[in-house]
Amino acid sequence: MTIDDVPERDTPGLPGVDPRGDPFLRTRYAVPPRPVTFLRRERLIRHLDGALATPLTIVNGAAGAGKTLLVADWAAGLGRSVAWFTTDAPNLRPGVFWAYVLRALHTAGVPVPAAAGCPADPSRVDEVLLNRLAAELSGPAAARRPAVLVLDEFDRVAAPETAAQLDFVLRHAGGGLRLVVVSRTEPLLPLHRYRAAGELTEIRDAELAFTAREAGELLDRHGLSLPAPVANALVDRTRGWAAGLRLCALAARESPDPETYLKEFEAGQSTVADFLLAEVLNIQPPDTQDLLLRVSVLERFCPDLANALTGRSDAGPVLHSLHHRNAFVQHLGHSWYGLHPLFAEILRAHLAVRCPGLAPELHRRAARWLKDAGFLPETLVHGAAAGDWDFAAGTLVSDLAIGQLFTGLRSAGLDDLFSRMAPDATGPAPELVRAARDLARGDLDRGPAHLERAGRQLAEGAADPAAARLCWALLEVLTARLTGSSARAERAARLAGELRGAVPADLLDRHPELTALLLTHLGSARLWAGRFEDARTALTAAATGPEGASTALPREDALAQLALIDQLNGWPGRAEHKASQALAETARYSLPGPPGTGMERLVLAAVAVDRDELDRAQELLDEAVTPAEGDVSHDPVALAGRAVATARLLLARGDARAAVRAARPDVTAEVPSPWVRGHAALVEAAAHLAEGRPEAVAEALHEVPLDQPACVVEAARMQLAAGRPGEAAELLDALRDAGRAGPGVSVRAALVRAWNGHLAGDPATARRWLAVALRGARHGHLRRPFVDAGPWIAPLLDTDPLRGLAAGWLVTGSADVPPPAVPPVVEELSGRERDVLRRLARMMTTEEIAADLYVSVNTVKTHLKSVYRKLDVNRRADAVRRARDLRLL
């Protein structure tokens, strides 16, 4: 008997099973129809076309991933019959399964041998039948056009012998059969062998997920024209899960405000929840349901962690099985798993209904397991979720991780986490965390108060919590920095040094940011006090310490302050280099926010003033915006750096009164800074000179510190301008620490001596010192000191050999030596090209230019090519020379 001879209501040996007569059974052999809102995804269709070239194709994904409709769409577009069998009955025995497969092939017009007959025993299949079927499929006609067989919902076929029989037929069909298996689980076929032989086409969950563009098109098909960010957010929430997107679209279509619905819908109270609970959760055994509900409070979990939440010991095989069956449990690698985020959201809502009040206890268990396992970030998250703030804050402090509130990739997240800390958490650790959060925002009212309470509690404690006291010392040094108290910072730093030996070395190694922050804050406090070399020692140690995202911000801060020290000491080239390094430091680690603390641009602005690039200096000051109220950048040194740079620029522009107002920063410090006071006094003296009051200069200069060479030289120039050459000479002769001063100081000192010689009627001395100044300024293009020198200098510069020393960077010619004719620029340079050109003139590398402008190296190279073309040159040096000839620099 053949399949054609089967009676309408009977199959030989299979009573009551007729794979032809029942309309319900006929749907098993029909390619499923696609809904009108179905979206054809060409990228997947192209991938599926590979099914015609390989014997086996696997389409494997979770419930609702769009597997069946994808294959149905592909099959409908082939232009030929496809044998389709939906195995929607559970646990089909081999005989029943093959009866249906034979009917599917017959329905699609695939020749089924009459001699094959039909299985007579539901539990087994005669090997003769399989041999005859394979032989028929491998015939000449099949070789020209292989039969395509789709087995949908193959995860319901649990008998291993059925998979083995399929493999046998597929291997012996001789290229005459293309088998497409659609399944939620990994089929029992020997996939590794087909994969190694290049005979397998695979489409998995990740590829089935909708892209943001596809999701937008799907929403359009549902009549929802929504902004791209809405579609992107929905894809993020659903992870591109097809059924979730469609169900959300259908629900949004019924909402009066679809956009708001898609942004804010409660997953636990939606049709998506109904689908997942029915298709995934409720089909699991009770113990597995309990495990899924409990681990839903976790972002990720391993078997041991899951066991800690369930109190059982079977999580390993259960999780492996759930992942293998695509039950929305994703394997993250190294025995860690995670739930699909939408499924987890729904499970948490279901947990709250099924087990009210259990979630906090689960978070508490998870926090303690994670702490013992050394997973600090997740420990804190679950401790906070449990409402156990003493535990969460205590863990942060005992792990010496309090510095992460200030620096690193997790600082914003930690700040947000502890912003919800309950007020009844009042131990030392919660007070330290509150102090750290307030000080990070520059709150000098609440931060020190919390720190003082924590200090009292630590002092009253019977035990000696070295880690907590070390965290207190770090915050004390920061408080000293923000309040301008060098002595307080030194005391706290000494205490920190003593405590370091009392905490485990591995803790310090795990948290290099603590040491980096401590050194940076100490260096800043010393810098405010005018102890430049002591500050340099601490800041250099911080800047050259361990690299990484956790230390990037303190290292950048240290480099910026080292740049300020170099600028104040008259080393503009060094200052520029360190400032550029600082800007590049945080960019290396993609930390949130723009690169730099603002100090770098202030230093670069001061360098630009030294070079008489006033427009550039203004740009940099504008970029280094004034910190918002509460910002940690309100520390005294940062505000003083802004005051000095702004005042110098205003003086250069001729606005002396505005310079005086800008020169004194709005800082409330326990101890005034000598160099800040000295620079303010110099600006005030310059204003007196500009307004014709030379007699007031001497009084203004009383506050100038004599141990700051830059201030002393500028004071000497003011005295000379006020008609006191003797006092000017005394200041220069008594100059202290002149050896540490750079060309920014030595050039100005030489110009003061040259001017003194000119006023004394000694042109030889004037020219000699002017030559010294020119040689010192030439390399760094320090033009501003010569502009500030006054009109007496111009005639001297027009004499040999001074003319040659000034040519090309300070002056381009004189009345009796006209400059050579320069061909015009082929095309006007853009603003960004001028920025690149200015940095070329400073001998910056391509990488340094890219970091300075916050663009890629390739973008800089593109600008350079354009600059070369427009200036008609081929080399960097020629470009700079030509630009100076054209007065572009």
Side-chain angles (χ1 to χ4, degrees), residues 713-748:
V713 169
E714 193 64 12
R717 186 175 75 86
M718 300 290 177
Q719 291 283 21
L720 192 57
R724 301 184 183 88
E727 288 82 347
E730 285 180 13
L731 284 171
L732 292 181
D733 292 340
L735 195 61
R736 304 176 192 170
D737 294 331
R740 77 185 186 201
V745 174
S746 61
V747 166
R748 285 182 168 83

mmCIF file of all heavy atoms in Angstrom, residues 713-748:
data_model
loop_
_atom_site.group_PDB
_atom_site.id
_atom_site.type_symbol
_atom_site.label_atom_id
_atom_site.label_comp_id
_atom_site.label_asym_id
_atom_site.label_seq_id
_atom_site.Cartn_x
_atom_site.Cartn_y
_atom_site.Cartn_z
ATOM 1 N N VAL A 713 59.961 89.868 37.948
ATOM 2 C CA VAL A 713 60.377 90.497 36.690
ATOM 3 C C VAL A 713 59.314 91.487 36.228
ATOM 4 O O VAL A 713 59.640 92.603 35.787
ATOM 5 C CB VAL A 713 60.638 89.419 35.621
ATOM 6 C CG1 VAL A 713 60.793 90.062 34.252
ATOM 7 C CG2 VAL A 713 61.871 88.620 35.982
ATOM 8 N N GLU A 714 58.049 91.090 36.337
ATOM 9 C CA GLU A 714 56.986 92.002 35.896
ATOM 10 C C GLU A 714 56.931 93.228 36.806
ATOM 11 O O GLU A 714 56.674 94.353 36.353
ATOM 12 C CB GLU A 714 55.644 91.263 35.901
ATOM 13 C CG GLU A 714 54.527 91.987 35.177
ATOM 14 C CD GLU A 714 54.784 92.158 33.688
ATOM 15 O OE1 GLU A 714 55.734 91.522 33.143
ATOM 16 O OE2 GLU A 714 54.053 92.943 33.053
ATOM 17 N N ALA A 715 57.193 93.038 38.102
ATOM 18 C CA ALA A 715 57.226 94.176 39.029
ATOM 19 C C ALA A 715 58.370 95.121 38.665
ATOM 20 O O ALA A 715 58.230 96.362 38.732
ATOM 21 C CB ALA A 715 57.384 93.679 40.461
ATOM 22 N N ALA A 716 59.510 94.568 38.258
ATOM 23 C CA ALA A 716 60.627 95.403 37.834
ATOM 24 C C ALA A 716 60.246 96.231 36.621
ATOM 25 O O ALA A 716 60.597 97.421 36.523
ATOM 26 C CB ALA A 716 61.834 94.520 37.524
ATOM 27 N N ARG A 717 59.519 95.642 35.671
ATOM 28 C CA ARG A 717 59.095 96.402 34.492
ATOM 29 C C ARG A 717 58.152 97.538 34.886
ATOM 30 O O ARG A 717 58.230 98.656 34.347
ATOM 31 C CB ARG A 717 58.406 95.472 33.494
ATOM 32 C CG ARG A 717 58.068 96.149 32.163
ATOM 33 C CD ARG A 717 57.503 95.158 31.172
ATOM 34 N NE ARG A 717 56.139 94.793 31.488
ATOM 35 C CZ ARG A 717 55.066 95.493 31.094
ATOM 36 N NH1 ARG A 717 55.224 96.604 30.392
ATOM 37 N NH2 ARG A 717 53.871 95.107 31.418
ATOM 38 N N MET A 718 57.278 97.268 35.861
ATOM 39 C CA MET A 718 56.348 98.309 36.317
ATOM 40 C C MET A 718 57.108 99.453 36.997
ATOM 41 O O MET A 718 56.806 100.635 36.798
ATOM 42 C CB MET A 718 55.341 97.701 37.306
ATOM 43 C CG MET A 718 54.493 96.584 36.743
ATOM 44 S SD MET A 718 53.307 97.157 35.544
ATOM 45 C CE MET A 718 52.596 95.598 35.048
ATOM 46 N N GLN A 719 58.082 99.094 37.799
ATOM 47 C CA GLN A 719 58.868 100.136 38.479
ATOM 48 C C GLN A 719 59.605 100.988 37.461
ATOM 49 O O GLN A 719 59.672 102.227 37.596
ATOM 50 C CB GLN A 719 59.878 99.481 39.444
ATOM 51 C CG GLN A 719 59.260 98.808 40.647
ATOM 52 C CD GLN A 719 58.825 99.796 41.724
ATOM 53 O OE1 GLN A 719 58.611 100.985 41.458
ATOM 54 N NE2 GLN A 719 58.680 99.311 42.943
ATOM 55 N N LEU A 720 60.146 100.352 36.443
ATOM 56 C CA LEU A 720 60.866 101.104 35.419
ATOM 57 C C LEU A 720 59.913 102.017 34.671
ATOM 58 O O LEU A 720 60.230 103.188 34.391
ATOM 59 C CB LEU A 720 61.561 100.130 34.456
ATOM 60 C CG LEU A 720 62.588 100.736 33.494
ATOM 61 C CD1 LEU A 720 63.686 101.473 34.255
ATOM 62 C CD2 LEU A 720 63.194 99.639 32.624
ATOM 63 N N ALA A 721 58.718 101.485 34.372
ATOM 64 C CA ALA A 721 57.725 102.300 33.663
ATOM 65 C C ALA A 721 57.252 103.461 34.528
ATOM 66 O O ALA A 721 56.876 104.523 34.014
ATOM 67 C CB ALA A 721 56.535 101.425 33.265
ATOM 68 N N ALA A 722 57.305 103.289 35.865
ATOM 69 C CA ALA A 722 56.874 104.350 36.778
ATOM 70 C C ALA A 722 57.999 105.340 37.061
ATOM 71 O O ALA A 722 57.831 106.257 37.874
ATOM 72 C CB ALA A 722 56.386 103.729 38.092
ATOM 73 N N GLY A 723 59.164 105.154 36.404
ATOM 74 C CA GLY A 723 60.265 106.094 36.571
ATOM 75 C C GLY A 723 61.167 105.768 37.731
ATOM 76 O O GLY A 723 61.811 106.671 38.298
ATOM 77 N N ARG A 724 61.235 104.487 38.147
ATOM 78 C CA ARG A 724 62.086 104.091 39.271
ATOM 79 C C ARG A 724 63.089 103.033 38.804
ATOM 80 O O ARG A 724 62.990 101.857 39.157
ATOM 81 C CB ARG A 724 61.241 103.538 40.420
ATOM 82 C CG ARG A 724 60.217 104.526 40.960
ATOM 83 C CD ARG A 724 59.486 103.927 42.167
ATOM 84 N NE ARG A 724 58.467 104.835 42.645
ATOM 85 C CZ ARG A 724 57.213 104.868 42.190
ATOM 86 N NH1 ARG A 724 56.849 104.032 41.231
ATOM 87 N NH2 ARG A 724 56.352 105.729 42.673
ATOM 88 N N PRO A 725 64.078 103.446 38.012
ATOM 89 C CA PRO A 725 65.037 102.460 37.485
ATOM 90 C C PRO A 725 65.854 101.781 38.578
ATOM 91 O O PRO A 725 66.226 100.618 38.439
ATOM 92 C CB PRO A 725 65.929 103.296 36.560
ATOM 93 C CG PRO A 725 65.752 104.705 37.017
ATOM 94 C CD PRO A 725 64.357 104.810 37.533
ATOM 95 N N GLY A 726 66.144 102.502 39.653
ATOM 96 C CA GLY A 726 66.910 101.900 40.737
ATOM 97 C C GLY A 726 66.159 100.729 41.367
ATOM 98 O O GLY A 726 66.734 99.657 41.600
ATOM 99 N N GLU A 727 64.882 100.957 41.670
ATOM 100 C CA GLU A 727 64.079 99.891 42.267
ATOM 101 C C GLU A 727 63.953 98.702 41.314
ATOM 102 O O GLU A 727 63.975 97.540 41.731
ATOM 103 C CB GLU A 727 62.687 100.406 42.636
ATOM 104 C CG GLU A 727 62.656 101.332 43.839
ATOM 105 C CD GLU A 727 63.017 102.758 43.494
ATOM 106 O OE1 GLU A 727 63.534 102.979 42.372
ATOM 107 O OE2 GLU A 727 62.814 103.649 44.330
ATOM 108 N N ALA A 728 63.847 99.001 40.005
ATOM 109 C CA ALA A 728 63.743 97.921 39.019
ATOM 110 C C ALA A 728 65.015 97.083 39.006
ATOM 111 O O ALA A 728 64.973 95.845 38.994
ATOM 112 C CB ALA A 728 63.466 98.503 37.631
ATOM 113 N N ALA A 729 66.157 97.754 39.034
ATOM 114 C CA ALA A 729 67.426 97.033 39.014
ATOM 115 C C ALA A 729 67.602 96.191 40.274
ATOM 116 O O ALA A 729 68.102 95.060 40.224
ATOM 117 C CB ALA A 729 68.580 98.018 38.869
ATOM 118 N N GLU A 730 67.183 96.749 41.415
ATOM 119 C CA GLU A 730 67.290 95.985 42.659
ATOM 120 C C GLU A 730 66.458 94.709 42.600
ATOM 121 O O GLU A 730 66.879 93.648 43.061
ATOM 122 C CB GLU A 730 66.816 96.851 43.840
ATOM 123 C CG GLU A 730 67.810 97.925 44.255
ATOM 124 C CD GLU A 730 67.301 98.742 45.429
ATOM 125 O OE1 GLU A 730 66.302 98.289 46.060
ATOM 126 O OE2 GLU A 730 67.868 99.801 45.725
ATOM 127 N N LEU A 731 65.257 94.836 42.062
ATOM 128 C CA LEU A 731 64.391 93.648 41.960
ATOM 129 C C LEU A 731 65.050 92.574 41.093
ATOM 130 O O LEU A 731 65.063 91.390 41.440
ATOM 131 C CB LEU A 731 63.030 94.031 41.382
ATOM 132 C CG LEU A 731 62.070 94.742 42.341
ATOM 133 C CD1 LEU A 731 60.852 95.267 41.590
ATOM 134 C CD2 LEU A 731 61.626 93.776 43.449
ATOM 135 N N LEU A 732 65.601 92.983 39.964
ATOM 136 C CA LEU A 732 66.227 92.003 39.066
ATOM 137 C C LEU A 732 67.474 91.404 39.698
ATOM 138 O O LEU A 732 67.724 90.195 39.572
ATOM 139 C CB LEU A 732 66.575 92.655 37.733
ATOM 140 C CG LEU A 732 65.378 93.074 36.848
ATOM 141 C CD1 LEU A 732 65.880 93.686 35.554
ATOM 142 C CD2 LEU A 732 64.485 91.876 36.551
ATOM 143 N N ASP A 733 68.245 92.228 40.400
ATOM 144 C CA ASP A 733 69.478 91.720 41.001
ATOM 145 C C ASP A 733 69.190 90.756 42.160
ATOM 146 O O ASP A 733 69.976 89.848 42.424
ATOM 147 C CB ASP A 733 70.335 92.881 41.508
ATOM 148 C CG ASP A 733 70.887 93.722 40.356
ATOM 149 O OD1 ASP A 733 70.916 93.198 39.224
ATOM 150 O OD2 ASP A 733 71.248 94.889 40.599
ATOM 151 N N ALA A 734 68.055 90.967 42.821
ATOM 152 C CA ALA A 734 67.711 90.124 43.975
ATOM 153 C C ALA A 734 66.819 88.953 43.581
ATOM 154 O O ALA A 734 66.255 88.289 44.449
ATOM 155 C CB ALA A 734 67.001 90.981 45.031
ATOM 156 N N LEU A 735 66.695 88.712 42.294
ATOM 157 C CA LEU A 735 65.792 87.673 41.804
ATOM 158 C C LEU A 735 66.160 86.309 42.388
ATOM 159 O O LEU A 735 67.297 85.849 42.268
ATOM 160 C CB LEU A 735 65.860 87.615 40.274
ATOM 161 C CG LEU A 735 64.756 86.851 39.559
ATOM 162 C CD1 LEU A 735 63.395 87.457 39.838
ATOM 163 C CD2 LEU A 735 65.018 86.841 38.061
ATOM 164 N N ARG A 736 65.193 85.679 43.048
ATOM 165 C CA ARG A 736 65.427 84.369 43.649
ATOM 166 C C ARG A 736 64.961 83.257 42.709
ATOM 167 O O ARG A 736 64.042 83.431 41.917
ATOM 168 C CB ARG A 736 64.644 84.234 44.963
ATOM 169 C CG ARG A 736 64.944 85.312 45.978
ATOM 170 C CD ARG A 736 64.034 85.135 47.185
ATOM 171 N NE ARG A 736 64.062 86.295 48.072
ATOM 172 C CZ ARG A 736 63.216 86.468 49.077
ATOM 173 N NH1 ARG A 736 62.303 85.560 49.345
ATOM 174 N NH2 ARG A 736 63.293 87.549 49.820
ATOM 175 N N ASP A 737 65.555 82.106 42.867
ATOM 176 C CA ASP A 737 65.157 80.918 42.112
ATOM 177 C C ASP A 737 65.075 81.192 40.622
ATOM 178 O O ASP A 737 64.207 80.653 39.921
ATOM 179 C CB ASP A 737 63.798 80.388 42.586
ATOM 180 C CG ASP A 737 63.871 79.862 44.007
ATOM 181 O OD1 ASP A 737 64.957 79.397 44.401
ATOM 182 O OD2 ASP A 737 62.846 79.907 44.709
ATOM 183 N N ALA A 738 65.959 82.044 40.115
ATOM 184 C CA ALA A 738 65.923 82.362 38.688
ATOM 185 C C ALA A 738 66.235 81.139 37.831
ATOM 186 O O ALA A 738 65.830 81.057 36.672
ATOM 187 C CB ALA A 738 66.910 83.482 38.386
ATOM 188 N N GLY A 739 66.933 80.156 38.423
ATOM 189 C CA GLY A 739 67.299 78.979 37.652
ATOM 190 C C GLY A 739 66.109 78.160 37.192
ATOM 191 O O GLY A 739 66.184 77.468 36.181
ATOM 192 N N ARG A 740 64.997 78.200 37.935
ATOM 193 C CA ARG A 740 63.838 77.411 37.548
ATOM 194 C C ARG A 740 62.966 78.141 36.536
ATOM 195 O O ARG A 740 62.024 77.572 36.003
ATOM 196 C CB ARG A 740 63.002 77.065 38.776
ATOM 197 C CG ARG A 740 62.143 78.212 39.285
ATOM 198 C CD ARG A 740 61.422 77.863 40.562
ATOM 199 N NE ARG A 740 60.496 78.915 40.951
ATOM 200 C CZ ARG A 740 60.021 79.090 42.174
ATOM 201 N NH1 ARG A 740 60.433 78.285 43.139
ATOM 202 N NH2 ARG A 740 59.171 80.057 42.441
ATOM 203 N N ALA A 741 63.272 79.394 36.266
ATOM 204 C CA ALA A 741 62.440 80.196 35.362
ATOM 205 C C ALA A 741 62.782 79.892 33.914
ATOM 206 O O ALA A 741 63.938 79.649 33.554
ATOM 207 C CB ALA A 741 62.628 81.676 35.644
ATOM 208 N N GLY A 742 61.761 79.930 33.076
ATOM 209 C CA GLY A 742 61.926 79.640 31.665
ATOM 210 C C GLY A 742 61.995 80.903 30.830
ATOM 211 O O GLY A 742 62.090 82.026 31.353
ATOM 212 N N PRO A 743 61.922 80.753 29.504
ATOM 213 C CA PRO A 743 62.061 81.909 28.608
ATOM 214 C C PRO A 743 60.976 82.961 28.806
ATOM 215 O O PRO A 743 61.210 84.137 28.546
ATOM 216 C CB PRO A 743 61.986 81.280 27.218
ATOM 217 C CG PRO A 743 61.372 79.933 27.413
ATOM 218 C CD PRO A 743 61.777 79.487 28.763
ATOM 219 N N GLY A 744 59.804 82.546 29.274
ATOM 220 C CA GLY A 744 58.766 83.543 29.522
ATOM 221 C C GLY A 744 59.168 84.550 30.575
ATOM 222 O O GLY A 744 58.668 85.685 30.577
ATOM 223 N N VAL A 745 60.062 84.147 31.472
ATOM 224 C CA VAL A 745 60.577 85.048 32.506
ATOM 225 C C VAL A 745 61.877 85.689 32.054
ATOM 226 O O VAL A 745 62.060 86.918 32.152
ATOM 227 C CB VAL A 745 60.783 84.282 33.826
ATOM 228 C CG1 VAL A 745 61.456 85.182 34.869
ATOM 229 C CG2 VAL A 745 59.462 83.771 34.352
ATOM 230 N N SER A 746 62.807 84.876 31.544
ATOM 231 C CA SER A 746 64.120 85.402 31.174
ATOM 232 C C SER A 746 64.029 86.418 30.041
ATOM 233 O O SER A 746 64.786 87.407 30.011
ATOM 234 C CB SER A 746 65.058 84.268 30.786
ATOM 235 O OG SER A 746 64.549 83.565 29.655
ATOM 236 N N VAL A 747 63.109 86.207 29.085
ATOM 237 C CA VAL A 747 62.950 87.169 27.987
ATOM 238 C C VAL A 747 62.476 88.510 28.534
ATOM 239 O O VAL A 747 62.996 89.577 28.161
ATOM 240 C CB VAL A 747 61.964 86.616 26.937
ATOM 241 C CG1 VAL A 747 61.515 87.715 25.976
ATOM 242 C CG2 VAL A 747 62.596 85.468 26.166
ATOM 243 N N ARG A 748 61.510 88.469 29.446
ATOM 244 C CA ARG A 748 61.009 89.727 30.021
ATOM 245 C C ARG A 748 62.090 90.413 30.860
ATOM 246 O O ARG A 748 62.208 91.645 30.850
ATOM 247 C CB ARG A 748 59.760 89.445 30.857
ATOM 248 C CG ARG A 748 58.511 89.170 30.011
ATOM 249 C CD ARG A 748 57.278 88.936 30.905
ATOM 250 N NE ARG A 748 56.055 88.963 30.124
ATOM 251 C CZ ARG A 748 55.572 87.932 29.441
ATOM 252 N NH1 ARG A 748 56.242 86.784 29.431
ATOM 253 N NH2 ARG A 748 54.453 88.039 28.755
#
